[in-house]
Short mmCIF file of all heavy atoms in Angstrom, two decimals:
data_model
loop_
_atom_site.label_atom_id
_atom_site.label_comp_id
_atom_site.label_asym_id
_atom_site.label_seq_id
_atom_site.Cartn_x
_atom_site.Cartn_y
_atom_site.Cartn_z
N MET W 1 11.38 11.05 16.00
CA MET W 1 11.37 11.58 14.69
C MET W 1 11.43 13.11 14.87
O MET W 1 10.67 13.68 15.61
CB MET W 1 10.05 11.15 14.03
CG MET W 1 10.24 9.70 13.66
SD MET W 1 8.75 9.09 12.84
CE MET W 1 8.17 8.06 14.02
N TYR W 2 12.36 13.66 14.05
CA TYR W 2 12.59 15.07 14.15
C TYR W 2 12.04 15.78 12.92
O TYR W 2 11.89 15.14 11.84
CB TYR W 2 14.07 15.31 14.30
CG TYR W 2 14.52 14.87 15.64
CD1 TYR W 2 14.97 13.57 15.79
CD2 TYR W 2 14.48 15.53 16.78
CE1 TYR W 2 15.40 12.89 17.05
CE2 TYR W 2 14.84 15.09 18.16
CZ TYR W 2 15.26 13.81 18.18
OH TYR W 2 15.75 13.24 19.36
N GLY W 6 7.24 13.07 12.21
CA GLY W 6 6.20 12.51 12.98
C GLY W 6 4.68 12.97 12.72
O GLY W 6 3.85 12.50 13.36
N ASP W 11 -0.60 7.98 16.70
CA ASP W 11 -0.17 7.62 18.02
C ASP W 11 1.31 8.05 18.25
O ASP W 11 1.83 7.75 19.25
CB ASP W 11 -0.19 6.13 18.26
CG ASP W 11 -1.70 5.73 18.22
OD1 ASP W 11 -2.60 6.50 18.62
OD2 ASP W 11 -1.98 4.58 17.76
N TYR W 12 1.87 8.88 17.42
CA TYR W 12 3.24 9.30 17.68
C TYR W 12 3.27 10.53 18.60
O TYR W 12 2.38 11.36 18.39
CB TYR W 12 3.93 9.78 16.39
CG TYR W 12 5.40 10.36 16.62
CD1 TYR W 12 6.46 9.58 17.03
CD2 TYR W 12 5.52 11.82 16.49
CE1 TYR W 12 7.66 10.14 17.35
CE2 TYR W 12 6.76 12.22 16.85
CZ TYR W 12 7.86 11.55 17.14
OH TYR W 12 9.12 12.03 17.40
N ASP W 13 4.03 10.45 19.67
CA ASP W 13 4.20 11.55 20.68
C ASP W 13 5.50 12.17 20.51
O ASP W 13 6.49 11.38 20.58
CB ASP W 13 3.80 10.97 22.05
CG ASP W 13 3.85 12.02 23.11
OD1 ASP W 13 4.91 12.52 23.34
OD2 ASP W 13 2.72 12.17 23.68
N ARG W 14 5.67 13.48 20.44
CA ARG W 14 6.92 14.07 20.17
C ARG W 14 7.73 13.98 21.52
O ARG W 14 8.96 14.14 21.42
CB ARG W 14 6.74 15.58 19.88
CG ARG W 14 6.10 15.88 18.51
CD ARG W 14 6.57 17.09 17.98
NE ARG W 14 5.99 17.23 16.52
CZ ARG W 14 6.58 16.76 15.47
NH1 ARG W 14 7.75 16.13 15.57
NH2 ARG W 14 6.05 16.90 14.27
N LEU W 15 7.21 13.77 22.65
CA LEU W 15 8.07 13.71 23.85
C LEU W 15 8.37 12.21 24.15
O LEU W 15 9.51 11.93 24.64
CB LEU W 15 7.19 14.16 25.08
CG LEU W 15 6.87 15.68 25.09
CD1 LEU W 15 5.92 16.04 26.28
CD2 LEU W 15 8.13 16.47 25.04
N THR W 16 7.59 11.21 23.86
CA THR W 16 7.82 9.96 24.18
C THR W 16 8.16 8.94 23.01
O THR W 16 8.53 7.82 23.08
CB THR W 16 6.62 9.23 24.96
OG1 THR W 16 5.46 9.24 24.20
CG2 THR W 16 6.56 10.04 26.36
N GLY W 17 7.87 9.47 21.76
CA GLY W 17 8.11 8.64 20.50
C GLY W 17 6.94 7.75 20.26
O GLY W 17 5.82 7.98 20.61
N LYS W 18 7.31 6.58 19.78
CA LYS W 18 6.33 5.65 19.42
C LYS W 18 6.98 4.25 19.55
O LYS W 18 8.14 3.98 19.04
CB LYS W 18 5.87 5.81 17.97
CG LYS W 18 4.79 4.61 17.59
CD LYS W 18 4.35 5.10 16.17
CE LYS W 18 3.31 4.01 15.78
NZ LYS W 18 1.97 4.12 16.27
N ARG W 19 6.52 3.30 20.24
CA ARG W 19 7.02 1.94 20.38
C ARG W 19 6.47 1.15 19.27
O ARG W 19 5.36 1.01 18.99
CB ARG W 19 6.54 1.39 21.63
CG ARG W 19 7.17 -0.02 21.93
CD ARG W 19 6.89 -0.64 23.33
NE ARG W 19 7.46 0.25 24.29
CZ ARG W 19 8.61 0.06 24.80
NH1 ARG W 19 9.46 -0.83 24.28
NH2 ARG W 19 9.25 0.87 25.66
N TYR W 63 16.83 1.97 20.07
CA TYR W 63 16.18 3.26 20.06
C TYR W 63 16.66 3.99 18.80
O TYR W 63 17.75 4.21 18.49
CB TYR W 63 16.77 4.14 21.17
CG TYR W 63 16.08 5.46 21.45
CD1 TYR W 63 14.86 5.64 21.99
CD2 TYR W 63 16.69 6.51 20.95
CE1 TYR W 63 14.27 6.81 22.14
CE2 TYR W 63 16.06 7.88 21.07
CZ TYR W 63 14.96 7.89 21.83
OH TYR W 63 14.37 9.08 21.86
N VAL W 64 15.70 4.29 17.91
CA VAL W 64 15.85 4.73 16.50
C VAL W 64 15.54 6.20 16.52
O VAL W 64 14.33 6.55 17.01
CB VAL W 64 15.15 3.84 15.40
CG1 VAL W 64 15.34 4.47 14.07
CG2 VAL W 64 15.48 2.40 15.49
N CYS W 65 16.22 7.05 16.01
CA CYS W 65 15.85 8.43 15.61
C CYS W 65 15.99 8.69 14.09
O CYS W 65 16.96 8.18 13.43
CB CYS W 65 16.93 9.39 16.31
SG CYS W 65 16.75 9.33 18.16
#
Side-chain angles (χ1 to χ4, degrees):
M1 288 178 252
Y2 294 92
D11 301 325
Y12 175 73
D13 183 293
R14 292 204 178 276
L15 296 177
T16 61
K18 179 175 179 81
R19 183 172 298 272
Y63 184 82
V64 179
C65 293

